[in-house]
């Protein structure tokens, strides 16, 4: 899952990036309102963590720009202002959640995962599709036959992307965008290699290849 982190405090941002990556997110980081506006409109993120106090503007103005452009990305506001009126203003501007500093990184990740679940129309933390179950906390998958398989970070992100929207065709470009941040430069061969590894774990027919289009998680079971 690809996530945008907007935070001008470099030390806090580096700490959060490490934590978010260990939780399975591909993170793009910016520290200004100007860059945040552009990134939020140009890229396809599953969620955004947005600091309100930015050196060149307000995170609320960034959020209003995204919403006026019909962006539906789930947004969690992160700020040192924890008053009830600040929270009301943030939610009225289009935020989906609000977390005041200081905070525990575990709470931030749990709130982001909850936002993404709701955006996918589900409430349970285990992602289910076509008889498979994906345990997002332990990064493992259960096959319809009942066998559990542990996943590497990239295997988990790829399988989660496919299982979150079973039946939808994903091109290699779309999968690369969700698996890696802008600083990475992976090739299409990387996707092919990880698809092969997943098929060895959960069965060849679980992920179908549509020639010239991409990959789709099986929905015919």
């Amino acid at each position: 899952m690809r996530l945008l982190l907007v935070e001008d405090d470099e030390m806090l941002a580096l700490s959060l990036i490490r934590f978010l990556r260990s939780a399975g997110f591909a993170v793009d980081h910016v520290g200004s309102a100007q860059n945040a506006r552009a990134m939020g409109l140009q890229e396809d993120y599953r969620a955004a963590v947005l600091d309100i106090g930015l050196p060149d503007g307000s995170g609320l103005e960034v959020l209003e720009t995204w919403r006026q452009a019909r962006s539906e990305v789930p947004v969690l506001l992160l700020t040192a202002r924890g008053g009830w009126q600040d929270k009301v203003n943030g939610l009225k501007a289009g935020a989906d959640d609000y977390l005041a500093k200081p905070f525990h990184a575990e709470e931030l990740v749990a709130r982001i995962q909850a936002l993404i679940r709701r955006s996918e129309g589900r409430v349970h933390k285990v992602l289910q599709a076509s008889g498979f179950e994906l345990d997002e906390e332990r990064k493992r998958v259960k096959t319809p036959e009942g066998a559990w398989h542990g996943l590497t970070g990239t295997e988990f992100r790829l399988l989660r992307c496919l299982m979150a929207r079973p039946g939808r065709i994903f091109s290699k470009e779309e999968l690369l965008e969700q698996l890696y941040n802008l600083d990475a430069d992976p090739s299409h061969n990387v996707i092919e290699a990880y698809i092969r590894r997943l098929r060895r774990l959960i069965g060849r027919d679980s992920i179908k290849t549509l020639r010239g289009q991409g990959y789709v998680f099986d929905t015919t079971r």
Side-chain angles (χ1 to χ4, degrees), residues 64-76:
E64 288 173 348
T65 300
W66 291 348
R67 294 308 188 222
Q68 288 170 4
R70 304 296 183 188
S71 169
E72 296 181 354
V73 61
V75 174
L76 183 148

Side-chain angles (χ1 to χ4, degrees), residues 1-2 24 26 44 46 116 120 122 127 129 134 136 151 153-180 191 195 198 207 215-218:
M1 292 177 288
R2 195 162 167 219
D44 180 19
R46 300 304 305 277
I116 293 174
E120 295 172 346
R122 62 189 179 92
L127 180 59
L134 187 66
E136 297 185 72
L151 302 168
T154 304
E155 290 170 351
F156 168 75
R157 294 197 300 273
L158 177 56
L159 186 57
R160 193 196 182 289
C161 185
L162 293 167
M163 286 183 62
R165 299 172 184 173
R168 182 190 186 284
I169 302 171
F170 286 91
S171 67
K172 290 180 181 176
E173 288 78 8
E174 288 176 311
L175 293 174
L176 285 172
E177 287 181 359
Q178 289 301 318
L179 263 61
Y180 297 98
I191 296 297
I195 290 290
L198 285 175
I207 303 171
Y215 300 98
V216 59
F217 195 80
D218 176 42

Side-chain angles (χ1 to χ4, degrees), residues 141 143 149-152 155 196-203:
V141 61
T143 66
H149 298 280
L151 302 168
T152 67
E155 290 170 351
R196 284 197 298 271
R197 291 171 58 161
L198 285 175
R199 283 172 172 160
R200 283 198 292 269
L201 285 177
I202 63 175

Side-chain angles (χ1 to χ4, degrees), residues 6 15 47 59 92 112 136 160 174:
V6 184
S15 175
K92 283 185 174 180
I112 294 170
E136 297 185 72
R160 193 196 182 289
E174 288 176 311

Side-chain angles (χ1 to χ4, degrees), residues 55-104:
D56 59 338
S58 167
L60 293 181
E61 295 171 356
V62 174
L63 176 56
E64 288 173 348
T65 300
W66 291 348
R67 294 308 188 222
Q68 288 170 4
R70 304 296 183 188
S71 169
E72 296 181 354
V73 61
V75 174
L76 183 148
L77 289 177
L78 198 61
T79 177
R81 298 177 231 166
W84 69 268
Q85 188 62 60
D86 295 311
K87 296 177 182 177
V88 169
N89 293 341
L91 295 171
K92 283 185 174 180
D96 299 275
D97 200 358
Y98 195 109
L99 186 59
K101 301 175 183 176
F103 59 89
H104 292 286

